[in-house]
mmCIF file of all heavy atoms in Angstrom:
data_model
loop_
_atom_site.group_PDB
_atom_site.id
_atom_site.type_symbol
_atom_site.label_atom_id
_atom_site.label_comp_id
_atom_site.label_asym_id
_atom_site.label_seq_id
_atom_site.Cartn_x
_atom_site.Cartn_y
_atom_site.Cartn_z
ATOM 1 N N ALA A 414 8.462 -18.352 2.359
ATOM 2 C CA ALA A 414 8.385 -18.971 1.030
ATOM 3 C C ALA A 414 9.583 -19.878 0.764
ATOM 4 O O ALA A 414 9.424 -21.035 0.350
ATOM 5 C CB ALA A 414 8.282 -17.892 -0.042
ATOM 6 N N THR A 415 10.792 -19.374 1.005
ATOM 7 C CA THR A 415 11.994 -20.182 0.734
ATOM 8 C C THR A 415 12.091 -21.351 1.699
ATOM 9 O O THR A 415 12.553 -22.435 1.325
ATOM 10 C CB THR A 415 13.261 -19.313 0.829
ATOM 11 O OG1 THR A 415 13.276 -18.627 2.091
ATOM 12 C CG2 THR A 415 13.293 -18.279 -0.282
ATOM 13 N N GLY A 416 11.656 -21.135 2.955
ATOM 14 C CA GLY A 416 11.686 -22.234 3.926
ATOM 15 C C GLY A 416 10.732 -23.351 3.537
ATOM 16 O O GLY A 416 11.075 -24.541 3.643
ATOM 17 N N ALA A 417 9.541 -22.970 3.068
ATOM 18 C CA ALA A 417 8.568 -23.977 2.641
ATOM 19 C C ALA A 417 9.071 -24.750 1.433
ATOM 20 O O ALA A 417 8.915 -25.977 1.342
ATOM 21 C CB ALA A 417 7.235 -23.302 2.313
ATOM 22 N N VAL A 418 9.696 -24.048 0.495
ATOM 23 C CA VAL A 418 10.243 -24.700 -0.692
ATOM 24 C C VAL A 418 11.400 -25.630 -0.313
ATOM 25 O O VAL A 418 11.570 -26.708 -0.895
ATOM 26 C CB VAL A 418 10.706 -23.634 -1.717
ATOM 27 C CG1 VAL A 418 11.508 -24.268 -2.838
ATOM 28 C CG2 VAL A 418 9.507 -22.900 -2.289
ATOM 29 N N ALA A 419 12.179 -25.224 0.689
ATOM 30 C CA ALA A 419 13.284 -26.081 1.151
ATOM 31 C C ALA A 419 12.758 -27.399 1.712
ATOM 32 O O ALA A 419 13.399 -28.453 1.565
ATOM 33 C CB ALA A 419 14.107 -25.343 2.206
ATOM 34 N N LEU A 420 11.579 -27.344 2.347
ATOM 35 C CA LEU A 420 10.971 -28.568 2.869
ATOM 36 C C LEU A 420 10.616 -29.545 1.758
ATOM 37 O O LEU A 420 10.502 -30.763 1.993
ATOM 38 C CB LEU A 420 9.715 -28.227 3.676
ATOM 39 C CG LEU A 420 9.925 -27.483 5.003
ATOM 40 C CD1 LEU A 420 8.583 -27.119 5.625
ATOM 41 C CD2 LEU A 420 10.754 -28.337 5.971
ATOM 42 N N LEU A 421 10.438 -29.011 0.544
ATOM 43 C CA LEU A 421 10.133 -29.856 -0.609
ATOM 44 C C LEU A 421 11.391 -30.496 -1.191
ATOM 45 O O LEU A 421 11.312 -31.301 -2.122
ATOM 46 C CB LEU A 421 9.435 -29.039 -1.695
ATOM 47 C CG LEU A 421 8.064 -28.443 -1.321
ATOM 48 C CD1 LEU A 421 7.569 -27.523 -2.435
ATOM 49 C CD2 LEU A 421 7.046 -29.548 -1.054
ATOM 50 N N GLY A 422 12.563 -30.112 -0.662
ATOM 51 C CA GLY A 422 13.821 -30.679 -1.157
ATOM 52 C C GLY A 422 14.664 -29.727 -1.970
ATOM 53 O O GLY A 422 15.767 -30.070 -2.404
ATOM 54 N N TYR A 423 14.148 -28.482 -2.168
ATOM 55 C CA TYR A 423 14.910 -27.495 -2.935
ATOM 56 C C TYR A 423 15.859 -26.745 -1.988
ATOM 57 O O TYR A 423 15.606 -25.621 -1.585
ATOM 58 C CB TYR A 423 13.963 -26.509 -3.616
ATOM 59 C CG TYR A 423 13.156 -27.108 -4.735
ATOM 60 C CD1 TYR A 423 11.833 -27.505 -4.527
ATOM 61 C CD2 TYR A 423 13.701 -27.287 -6.003
ATOM 62 C CE1 TYR A 423 11.074 -28.053 -5.548
ATOM 63 C CE2 TYR A 423 12.945 -27.834 -7.039
ATOM 64 C CZ TYR A 423 11.644 -28.221 -6.800
ATOM 65 O OH TYR A 423 10.890 -28.757 -7.814
ATOM 66 N N THR A 424 16.935 -27.401 -1.622
ATOM 67 C CA THR A 424 17.894 -26.793 -0.705
ATOM 68 C C THR A 424 19.082 -26.177 -1.438
ATOM 69 O O THR A 424 19.624 -25.163 -1.010
ATOM 70 C CB THR A 424 18.409 -27.841 0.291
ATOM 71 O OG1 THR A 424 18.924 -28.971 -0.433
ATOM 72 C CG2 THR A 424 17.284 -28.312 1.217
ATOM 73 N N ALA A 425 19.506 -26.795 -2.536
ATOM 74 C CA ALA A 425 20.661 -26.285 -3.287
ATOM 75 C C ALA A 425 20.246 -25.591 -4.576
ATOM 76 O O ALA A 425 21.015 -24.831 -5.155
ATOM 77 C CB ALA A 425 21.631 -27.420 -3.607
ATOM 78 N N THR A 426 19.014 -25.842 -5.049
ATOM 79 C CA THR A 426 18.519 -25.239 -6.283
ATOM 80 C C THR A 426 17.139 -24.625 -6.042
ATOM 81 O O THR A 426 16.520 -24.865 -5.004
ATOM 82 C CB THR A 426 18.398 -26.285 -7.404
ATOM 83 O OG1 THR A 426 17.485 -27.319 -6.983
ATOM 84 C CG2 THR A 426 19.758 -26.901 -7.712
ATOM 85 N N MET A 427 16.667 -23.856 -7.007
ATOM 86 C CA MET A 427 15.331 -23.251 -6.948
ATOM 87 C C MET A 427 14.388 -24.023 -7.878
ATOM 88 O O MET A 427 14.834 -24.633 -8.847
ATOM 89 C CB MET A 427 15.391 -21.780 -7.371
ATOM 90 C CG MET A 427 16.019 -20.878 -6.325
ATOM 91 S SD MET A 427 14.982 -20.766 -4.858
ATOM 92 C CE MET A 427 15.897 -19.530 -3.920
ATOM 93 N N PRO A 428 13.072 -23.983 -7.609
ATOM 94 C CA PRO A 428 12.117 -24.654 -8.501
ATOM 95 C C PRO A 428 12.200 -24.109 -9.919
ATOM 96 O O PRO A 428 12.328 -22.905 -10.120
ATOM 97 C CB PRO A 428 10.755 -24.320 -7.871
ATOM 98 C CG PRO A 428 11.055 -24.006 -6.451
ATOM 99 C CD PRO A 428 12.411 -23.364 -6.445
ATOM 100 N N GLN A 429 12.109 -25.014 -10.877
ATOM 101 C CA GLN A 429 12.138 -24.645 -12.291
ATOM 102 C C GLN A 429 10.836 -25.091 -12.948
ATOM 103 O O GLN A 429 10.230 -26.088 -12.535
ATOM 104 C CB GLN A 429 13.325 -25.302 -13.001
ATOM 105 C CG GLN A 429 14.686 -24.879 -12.471
ATOM 106 C CD GLN A 429 14.966 -23.400 -12.683
ATOM 107 O OE1 GLN A 429 14.444 -22.780 -13.610
ATOM 108 N NE2 GLN A 429 15.781 -22.815 -11.813
ATOM 109 N N PRO A 430 10.360 -24.354 -13.963
ATOM 110 C CA PRO A 430 9.087 -24.693 -14.612
ATOM 111 C C PRO A 430 9.039 -26.115 -15.180
ATOM 112 O O PRO A 430 7.943 -26.661 -15.365
ATOM 113 C CB PRO A 430 8.980 -23.647 -15.737
ATOM 114 C CG PRO A 430 9.816 -22.503 -15.271
ATOM 115 C CD PRO A 430 10.951 -23.122 -14.514
ATOM 116 N N THR A 431 10.192 -26.681 -15.462
ATOM 117 C CA THR A 431 10.236 -28.018 -16.070
ATOM 118 C C THR A 431 10.195 -29.143 -15.041
ATOM 119 O O THR A 431 10.158 -30.319 -15.410
ATOM 120 C CB THR A 431 11.508 -28.156 -16.920
ATOM 121 O OG1 THR A 431 12.653 -27.837 -16.118
ATOM 122 C CG2 THR A 431 11.465 -27.211 -18.115
ATOM 123 N N ASP A 432 10.196 -28.822 -13.743
ATOM 124 C CA ASP A 432 10.188 -29.854 -12.709
ATOM 125 C C ASP A 432 8.854 -30.597 -12.702
ATOM 126 O O ASP A 432 7.806 -30.011 -13.009
ATOM 127 C CB ASP A 432 10.437 -29.241 -11.328
ATOM 128 C CG ASP A 432 11.840 -28.674 -11.187
ATOM 129 O OD1 ASP A 432 12.691 -28.981 -12.049
ATOM 130 O OD2 ASP A 432 12.083 -27.914 -10.226
ATOM 131 N N PRO A 433 8.869 -31.891 -12.328
ATOM 132 C CA PRO A 433 7.611 -32.648 -12.263
ATOM 133 C C PRO A 433 6.762 -32.209 -11.075
ATOM 134 O O PRO A 433 7.287 -31.766 -10.047
ATOM 135 C CB PRO A 433 8.091 -34.098 -12.091
ATOM 136 C CG PRO A 433 9.445 -33.974 -11.451
ATOM 137 C CD PRO A 433 10.042 -32.729 -12.023
ATOM 138 N N CYS A 434 5.453 -32.330 -11.235
ATOM 139 C CA CYS A 434 4.526 -31.942 -10.168
ATOM 140 C C CYS A 434 4.235 -33.147 -9.279
ATOM 141 O O CYS A 434 3.692 -34.160 -9.733
ATOM 142 C CB CYS A 434 3.221 -31.414 -10.759
ATOM 143 S SG CYS A 434 2.026 -30.885 -9.501
ATOM 144 N N THR A 435 4.602 -33.060 -8.012
ATOM 145 C CA THR A 435 4.339 -34.116 -7.042
ATOM 146 C C THR A 435 3.207 -33.666 -6.111
ATOM 147 O O THR A 435 2.904 -32.469 -6.031
ATOM 148 C CB THR A 435 5.595 -34.405 -6.209
ATOM 149 O OG1 THR A 435 5.908 -33.226 -5.419
ATOM 150 C CG2 THR A 435 6.783 -34.749 -7.097
#
Side-chain angles (χ1 to χ4, degrees):
T415 53
V418 169
L420 292 175
L421 297 173
Y423 290 99
T424 54
T426 60
M427 286 293 185
Q429 298 296 333
T431 54
D432 293 346
C434 181
T435 65

